[in-house]
Amino acid sequence: MAELGMAPHLRRSNGSVGKTRRLQQLFGNSAKQENLSSWVPQSIKKKECVYFVESSKLSDAGKVVCECGYTRQQHLEEATRPHTLQGKDWDPKKHVQEMPTDAFGDIVFTGLGQKVGKYVRLSQDTPPSVIYHLMTQYWGLDVPNLLISVTGGAKDFNMKPRLKSVFRRGLVKVAQTTGAWIITGGSHAGVMKQVGEAVRDFTLSSCRDEGEVVTVGIATWGTVHNREGLIHPSGGFPAEYVMDEDGQGHLSCLDSNHSHFILVDDGTHGRYGVEIPLRTKLEKFISEQTKERGGVAIKIPVVCVVLEGGPGTLHTIYNAITNGTPCVVVEGSGRVADVIAQVAGLPISEITISRVQEKLSLFFQDAFETLSESRIVEWTKKIQDIVRRRQLLTIFREGKDGQQDVDVAILQALLKASRSHDYFGHENWDHQLKLAVAWNRVDIARSEIFSDERQWKPSELHPVMLAALISNKPEFVKLFLENGVRLKEFVTWDTLLSLYQHLEPSCLFRSKLQKVLAEEPERPAGASPVPRVQMHHVAQVLRELLGDFTQPLYPRPRTGDRPRLLLPVPNVKLNMQGVSLRSPHKRSSGHVAFTMDPVRDLLIWAIVQSRRELADIIWAQVPYVSALAFPNCFCRVGPSPCRQCPPSPWSWEACPLPRLVSQDCIAAALACSKILKELSKEEEDTDSLEEMLALADEFEHRAVGVFTECYRKDEERAQKLLTRVSEAWGRTTCLQLALEAKDMKFVSHGGIQAFLTKVWWGQLCVDNGLWRVILCMVAFPLLCTSFVSFREKKLQARRGMLRVRAFFSAPVVIFHLNILSYFAFLCLFAYVLMVDFQPAPSWCECLIYFWLFSLVCEELRQLFYDPDEFGLMKVALLYFSDFWNKLDVGAILLFVAGLTCRLIPGLLYPGRIILSLDFTMFCLRLMHIFTVSKTLGPKIIIVKRMMKDVFFFLFLLAVWVVSFGVAKQAILIHNESRVDWIFRGVVYQSYLTIFGQMPAYIDGVNFSLDQCSPNGTDPYKPKCPESDAVRHEPAFPEWLTVILLCLYLLFTNILLLNLLIAMFNYTFQQVQEHTDQIWKFQRHDLIEEYHGRPPAPPPFILLSHLHLFVKRVVLKMPAKRHKQLKSKLEKNEEAALLSWELYLKENYLQNLQNQQKQRLEQQVQDISEKVNAVADLLEMEGRKRSSSLDQRLASLEAQVAQTSRALHWVMKALRDSGFGSEEGVPTLAPQKASEGRECELDGRQKAEDVGDGHHVNARHLLYPHSHVTRFPVPNEKVPWETEFLIYDPPFYTDDRKDKGWVDPAGNALEALAGLSYNTVDGPTDRRSFHGLYVVQDGLPLNPMGRTGLRGRGSLSRFGPNHTLQPVITRWRRNQDGAICRRSIRKMLEVLVVRPPLSESWALPGGSREPGEMLPRKLKQVLRREFWSSFQNLLIQGTEVYKGYVDDPRNTDNAWIETVAVSIHFPDQSDMDLKRLNSHLHTRDPGMSVQWQVVDKRIPLYANHKTILQKVAALFGAFY
């Protein structure tokens, strides 16, 4: 990502974040307020009445008001002056004008805390895009993942306490977990008040980290009480709002629990409902926006939640359902919500006017009497249309149908609506999964998406897997891994780049990457100004964290390179079906050949961001292990064959089959620990630092756990894991990683200590006594005997130099030889200093110089020894990082200084002094030698820690010593000029006083002039204190010096010394607990030093140095160091070892789970879950029984109703045939559903119920592409035979441009008198496929019944409008040319087109011009030269349908009838098919044409899908 180079910075703690926010409020908010104050008036307007027209109504206070509702004083001054429009009626379009808004900014509710919200007053004509920009850019709201529009009763209503609690909890939960916006009416009443109280309860009970619930109130400005306090022309920061419910009258107060307010202004006062159109537009605009996160983009879904409500709520629900917005209706909340809930489960044919009337009388009671018959009919029609689209309607029944939570119902409603939408291929399921990931609701994904209904391919989950990783949703990552995502296929070069380009802005690793990018060389002209992150940048930072002893994990790219997957498998060529050993990467320029380990790469990415849960999931991944590793082992339990099974022809180490994908779980855990500890050193935030260290300890504990399992199983293999060179982690070893990370728990493990002991003893057996070794060192001929034992049998059996060499090359022998040598050196050094230090060096002193020269050579060897090719600077830094090396260098340099002075005759004595001090430093070096001792080693560690305490203690002590010394010296002695005696008096005597040596003249008791020098001239006596020269008595204030002495002793002897003792005690107790670990950890350094040290001790070590010089410099032989501490295994052995480690890691994880289950808290939780599961099963069983009985009753009622209809048909047929008479005919009453029956609302039910046989699309209330509203026609009133006295449909005929090809407009019968119906009228065929139709009052009647609109609408002709729909199909084939099948049936492809500005596809047919055979739409996608050929194909085609089309454009007097002709190409080599493909061409650039697979989810017009289904049935194809 390009913005990586500009991203901010280190993560801060909660305290620092709070401080930062306060500073921003103090200093940064002023700039934001200035920007808002300048932008809002320019972009957002209000509305003002500019012409006062007196109204006949008075205000609540009895004042004269304008038609707009405002008083004369509330108008602008020019509005009350004589006006050019005087005398005219008040018209809001003319008399209301837009002006810059004067109410915006922050809002604070007086007396209700310091919560600050946002508000704005804006015109009802404000574009939604401007409002959205204000909310996201200036108000700082994050783009939502979901939009929840809550609608319902605007007045207070009563809900059951339990239902209220469930609704509040569920609504806030879904908003908080999904990052949703809640949109309401914003007032403190009705459903808005319920939402506000739900948000208030959540805010009071939640912590700060859970985030704020965004609640947007959209209200009418003219109905807000006390809105005068919100008016601030330059913005209110903040504006104080007073809630006064008692004095609000017919107005409304704003709800204090909403966070944002949009106050819609139309220039009027007291008129409700002004905000509804703008709210609808804003919700629609937001739903069309796309939110992208982690490479996955989704359109923001919208859901409507309904509580209670009246006529306006019903209209809102109807509009939402018509626009495809899912609705959740809460049953039990009252009025409209309960009416819809009661009839939602009924067939459409049973939702009659009488039934709706009955429900309205039940739930509306007194208000029902005011409803007219036309209003009841309208409500019935709307309720039918709402229930007809069951896939968009969800009824929440608390405690019924298994529903418990509103949040689950809301999300299930969205998924059900998404599932009902038509998509190509698997887009529907993909969209649902993207929604679940965006909401972070893995429970919904498990129950609704990952079901048996849909089988996911792993590759289909890769985009959402990437999004889940980037957005830190570990539960989804775990879910995807459980459902088939394989990391070796998912982790590619591009995936890694995308992950590192989407690091969190607060991530410390990101800031380190920025520094690396900033150090990049200048980029060439034309390149991106901000360099993009590449993997070699990541490798550079990782090497800084892991250490220079590792190789870069991702080297710099080279031309033609590409990444490869690390698979340590044997070098044997195998051809196994289903086993892929390489990651499927696309070749691209700039790719680099690097070792890819999917688990490692993802683990590092998670660790550098301290994402604990993600890291746990990735580290615990189980890679693919082939069961064919042991062909003859039938049990296949574990990575090694069982003893009962016959032996395999391949040994475990030599088995050539690929088994392993993941690598190095112990090394991975140790590397994670190292990375986290290094990052914690630079982390400034205390909370983040503690998280990092805790996570590092956890991974160290995991490494210890897995190694413990390995060591228990096989000690030798476990120790191989320690020294194996890991290619995946920069060619380092587990042991080296643990040492560099200072993982003392791991290094102090018994298995590792046993390995170090084995290294310490070399080829000797560890059970040899130390006295045996020392005795053999003195009398080495004993080596020819069996006095000491060796591990290798050949050494044990042989005698001679081989045993001698093996003995003296053991580190334990080298160490003790060096100890003896060092003691001899110190003894000789002490002898020379005390006995034999002559003006001319004696032979003993010359031997000392020679001995020291050998020590210098050894130190130089250690300094320049670089087997890993780190470079001189790195090796030098590594060398001087050790304290003992610094001590060695200091002792040598001091010795050189003393030797230089000693060789100069005049400086002989100073030279001896320097050498004496140097002897002390050489003696201190013995402490390092003693660290190998299990007894002395821990004590030396304690002493080192205590030395640090003493160092800090000296600062406190110096304050008291110097303060007392200076005060004492100044009081006692006048003008002492001798520096040495000043030092004695100020520091030396004060220091000795602590230990009981009191100053001689502090109290005047022992005053004597003989013991001091009066003038300070005697260099051997101190100067006398202030005294009386006559009486020879002290003249200083003895009482003051005594008090000072007492206070000094009190603080130093009692306070400070006891403080030092307490510090020592604390250090001792603290270190004592971990002394063993620390000693075991530091023991390695000594073992490693002597493991690589030449066997001869100084001064004989010079012979080894000479031998080494010849080998390295003269013979150019490479260095071979630490054969036992770093080993490169063969691929066969490495694969076997890692598989074994992997298996034991699974054992470790299983043991952890078992331990977790055995905990008391976990057992209680498990029992609770089991009890709940049993209770749910019992409840479900009861519902199943009840549901089964209801289904049987419903089936019986349906059968009786079908029998009744059959008898009606039989009687009618007999009467029409002349049999029988009208008299005595029995009346068969229609079957009604039982009144109290509750029906399930099944989302899988069809959109149209059985028995709903009337046209539906032709009765939509809003006529397409117009503002005309149809007269509502319920189902029972559709047939013309049914009496409908109040039926009064409007007349509408569109005035089209192509008047020459359409019937006349208008409703004048004279203009239509020339039309002939039921015949061929000139070039127009007005005959119907359904026979003769009725002509009434000069206009034809729709044979399918009423539509709610008269005229011809937007159609061309009165009566039938004939169209042609060619259905062009071919078989779908795979790459081999074979026909694809699904569910055994063959699959078809159909040619479809998409008109401009349309989301739906259609068949390439439609109306035809008079005299033409081809539809106009088909001509738009075919070249003219192919028209005649296609006419022949039409003639040869098969007619699959002829008749009426249920189209939204149909009216009472005009309708569409079509002929569908199937044109099928069975052979892919058909010449007509090839010509057709070659002549496909769209003239309009906005039109699209393509072949699409035939499926029930194909996004076609509904009537076209019916035709396509008939074609599929014709060929027996899949649909």
Side-chain angles (χ1 to χ4, degrees), residues 843-873:
W843 68 269
C844 292
E845 190 173 351
C846 292
L847 181 58
I848 289 293
Y849 301 156
F850 181 73
W851 209 313
L852 184 71
F853 176 72
S854 65
L855 293 177
V856 171
C857 291
E858 175 58 23
E859 294 301 323
L860 291 174
R861 183 195 67 83
Q862 295 181 21
L863 175 61
F864 294 105
Y865 189 46
D866 185 17
D868 297 321
E869 299 179 355
F870 289 153
L872 181 59
M873 290 297 298

Side-chain angles (χ1 to χ4, degrees), residues 1294-1299 1302 1352-1356 1416:
D1294 185 21
D1295 189 10
R1296 295 177 48 164
K1297 296 180 180 180
D1298 50 346
K1299 297 182 179 180
V1302 299
R1352 63 173 173 83
S1354 60
L1355 296 178
S1356 303
R1416 282 177 288 184

Side-chain angles (χ1 to χ4, degrees), residues 1058-1073:
N1058 281 284
L1059 175 62
L1060 179 63
I1061 294 172
M1063 292 171 62
F1064 283 168
N1065 185 47
Y1066 173 76
T1067 302
F1068 181 84
Q1069 291 180 354
Q1070 187 181 38
V1071 176
Q1072 183 67 23
E1073 298 176 0

